[in-house]
């Protein structure tokens, strides 16, 4: 796969570019804890995100979505590859340079309660990033915190309360406020609505869209709910077992997916009309282990249309239509 794979069409410039990203986790055993195997969580993934857009990243649990997001922010260190922000290679930054870069790149975690200090009022939690980076005076940081809470639909008096005093939806708003407080340009949304009720999901998604319009934010939206991804994303990338299998615009993907795995995912989306039926594609077997992924195409053991070549040769992730990438021998 060419490193230029992620070049985009359109007038918007590329803000984030990920090239050949790899993250393997060691498996240790024995008295000396020697490395006996490697979990191939992310294996040679490339994509880019245009300024001001939302790229949805979807796939089954364990496919490497969250690992990509955390590797991009260096919350975990990638094994190899490059991640550039506005033409700056993040993986080469050290010390103060990396600390300054973190002001531009933030994350909203899946579990807001686990990401908040239960002993700290939420106002202090939202101000924590401002304190770490020494932004403004104490009074100015306090005003930024209150303003940020208001933007996510909370009141000033909430700043004095503790995380256990809030509902799940309110806690996720606090998580959004923490990410927004430093006024970043890029935010990774790591399944921010998966633990919320459907009615609350729509409120949180609308907050994210409103903030994107107001501040010109760029999102990587990680999720496994395809209906949610369709609602918020401009383009959608599909992952399977550590590999990218398809990437294109939202409308193109939902109208005419090319990869068999994407088609199977699409067939599982409920239709809000009881008179209409959708032909389901039922995948056989379980997802293979990332400890020992299959040779050739990683999807071929479960693929309903696999041919002999699929088990022998790994397909290249290539552009088959304008701005429509896929890794499948049959997707010509």
């Amino acid at each position: 796969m060419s490193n230029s794979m992620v070049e985009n069409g359109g007038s918007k410039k590329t803000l984030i570019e990920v090239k050949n990203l790899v993250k393997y986790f060691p498996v240790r055993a024995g008295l000396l804890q020697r490395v006996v195997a490697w979990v191939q969580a992310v294996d040679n993934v490339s994509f880019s995100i245009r300024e001001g857009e939302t790229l949805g990243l979807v796939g089954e649990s364990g496919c490497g979505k969250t690992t990509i997001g955390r590797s991009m922010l260096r919350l975990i260190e990638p094994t190899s590859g490059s991640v550039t922000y506005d033409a700056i290679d993040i993986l080469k930054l050290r010390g103060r340079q990396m600390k300054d870069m973190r002001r531009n790149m933030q994350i909203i975690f899946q579990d807001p309660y686990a990401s908040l200090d239960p002993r700290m009022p939420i106002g202090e939690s939202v101000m924590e990033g401002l304190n770490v980076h020494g932004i403004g005076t104490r009074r100015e940081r306090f005003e930024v915190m209150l303003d940020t809470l208001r933007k996510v639909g909370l009141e000033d008096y909430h700043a004095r309360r503790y995380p256990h005093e809030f509902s799940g939806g309110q806690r996720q708003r606090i998580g959004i406020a923490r990410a927004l407080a430093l006024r970043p340009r890029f935010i990774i949304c790591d399944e921010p609505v998966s633990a919320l009720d459907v009615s609350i999901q729509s409120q949180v998604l609308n907050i994210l869209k409103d903030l994107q319009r107001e501040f010109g934010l760029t999102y990587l939206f990680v999720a496994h709910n395809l209906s949610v991804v369709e609602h918020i994303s401009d383009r959608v990338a599909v992952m399977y077992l550590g590999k990218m299998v398809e990437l294109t615009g939202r409308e193109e993907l939902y109208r005419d997916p090319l990869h068999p795995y994407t088609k199977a995912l699409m067939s599982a989306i409920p239709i809000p009309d009881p008179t209409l039926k959708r032909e389901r594609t039922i995948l056989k077997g379980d997802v293979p282990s990332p400890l020992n992924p299959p040779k050739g195409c990683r999807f071929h053991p479960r693929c309903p249309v696999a041919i002999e070549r699929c088990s022998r040769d790994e397909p290249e992730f290539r552009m088959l239509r304008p701005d429509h990438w896929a890794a499948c021998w049959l997707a010509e």
Side-chain angles (χ1 to χ4, degrees):
M1 179 173 57
S2 169
N3 281 354
S4 62
M5 188 283 299
V6 288
E7 289 301 317
N8 291 311
S11 57
K12 291 184 179 179
K13 75 169 186 176
T14 296
L15 181 66
I16 302 288
E17 189 164 12
V18 176
K19 290 185 179 180
N20 308 118
L21 186 68
V22 175
K23 178 57 184 177
Y24 289 178
F25 292 98
V27 178
R28 301 180 185 275
L31 185 63
L32 300 178
Q33 290 293 290
R34 291 192 175 97
V35 176
V36 296
W38 294 90
V39 176
Q40 300 178 29
V42 177
D43 193 4
N44 198 31
V45 168
S46 299
F47 62 91
S48 65
I49 309 176
R50 302 164 187 161
E51 190 170 27
E53 82 163 348
T54 300
L55 176 67
L57 184 60
V58 301
E60 293 174 272
S61 296
C63 71
K65 307 185 299 296
T66 295
T67 303
I68 284 181
R70 296 190 177 213
S71 297
M72 290 171 66
L73 297 183
R74 289 180 64 186
L75 298 179
I76 53 178
E77 289 292 334
T79 303
S80 64
S82 69
V83 180
T84 59
Y85 169 88
D86 211 5
I88 300 171
D89 190 343
I90 297 168
L91 304 187
K92 293 181 179 179
L93 300 181
R94 295 291 181 270
R96 181 73 191 190
Q97 291 178 318
M98 189 63 215
K99 180 181 178 181
D100 291 341
M101 177 59 71
R102 293 191 190 282
R103 290 183 59 178
N104 299 310
M105 307 172 69
Q106 292 290 303
I107 185 170
I108 301 168
F109 293 99
Q110 178 178 355
D111 185 351
Y113 190 60
S115 65
L116 293 171
D117 187 338
R119 299 164 297 180
M120 184 182 291
I122 65 105
E124 293 293 326
S125 291
V126 172
M127 281 198 297
E128 193 168 18
L130 299 170
N131 294 334
V132 167
H133 289 277
I135 297 173
T137 64
R138 171 75 184 181
R139 183 65 194 175
E140 289 170 338
R141 293 195 289 268
F142 185 78
E143 290 299 329
V144 169
M145 178 269 292
L146 292 180
D147 180 59
T148 305
L149 289 180
R150 296 180 197 124
K151 289 186 183 301
V152 298
L154 296 174
E155 302 295 337
D156 291 2
Y157 63 83
H158 285 138
R160 299 186 297 274
R161 294 185 176 180
Y162 291 83
H164 72 271
E165 299 181 73
F166 295 91
S167 67
Q170 287 176 317
R171 287 181 197 140
Q172 197 54 281
R173 291 169 189 250
I174 297 166
I176 295 171
R178 288 182 71 194
L180 187 67
L182 287 167
R183 299 298 186 262
R185 293 173 63 193
F186 174 61
I187 297 179
I188 293 176
C189 307
D190 184 13
E191 303 204 34
V193 297
S194 63
L196 306 178
D197 294 337
V198 174
S199 59
I200 306 301
Q201 286 184 8
S202 60
Q203 296 176 18
V204 173
L205 291 175
N206 288 334
I207 288 173
L208 289 172
K209 295 181 78 170
D210 291 343
L211 292 173
Q212 185 174 42
R213 283 191 292 268
E214 182 174 353
F215 294 102
L217 297 171
T218 302
Y219 292 143
L220 175 66
F221 192 91
V222 177
H224 58 260
N225 187 325
L226 286 163
S227 299
V228 168
V229 171
E230 183 179 18
H231 176 71
I232 197 169
S233 301
D234 298 300
R235 292 187 301 144
V236 181
V238 182
M239 283 192 69
Y240 182 81
L241 201 62
K243 292 277 191 181
M244 196 80 78
V245 297
E246 190 159 2
L247 170 62
T248 190
R250 175 192 60 198
E251 294 180 359
E252 171 80 6
L253 187 82
Y254 283 79
R255 182 181 67 249
D256 189 17
L258 295 178
H259 198 280
Y261 177 63
T262 310
K263 293 177 181 178
L265 291 179
M266 295 299 175
S267 74
I269 301 176
I271 301 176
D273 186 341
T275 64
L276 297 177
K277 299 292 183 182
R278 174 179 276 149
E279 184 178 348
R280 284 291 309 275
T281 301
I282 306 298
L283 299 178
K284 298 179 181 179
D286 297 323
V287 180
S289 170
L291 274 169
N292 186 26
K295 294 182 179 179
C297 174
R298 295 191 174 185
F299 184 59
H300 86 263
R302 305 175 70 199
C303 182
V305 296
I307 58 177
E308 193 273 333
R309 186 183 186 185
C310 299
S311 62
R312 187 181 68 245
D313 303 325
E314 182 178 339
E316 182 185 5
F317 191 56
R318 63 200 189 282
M319 188 164 64
L320 301 176
R321 296 175 185 168
D323 203 24
H324 193 154
W325 302 80
C328 180
W329 294 119
L330 300 176
E332 298 295 345

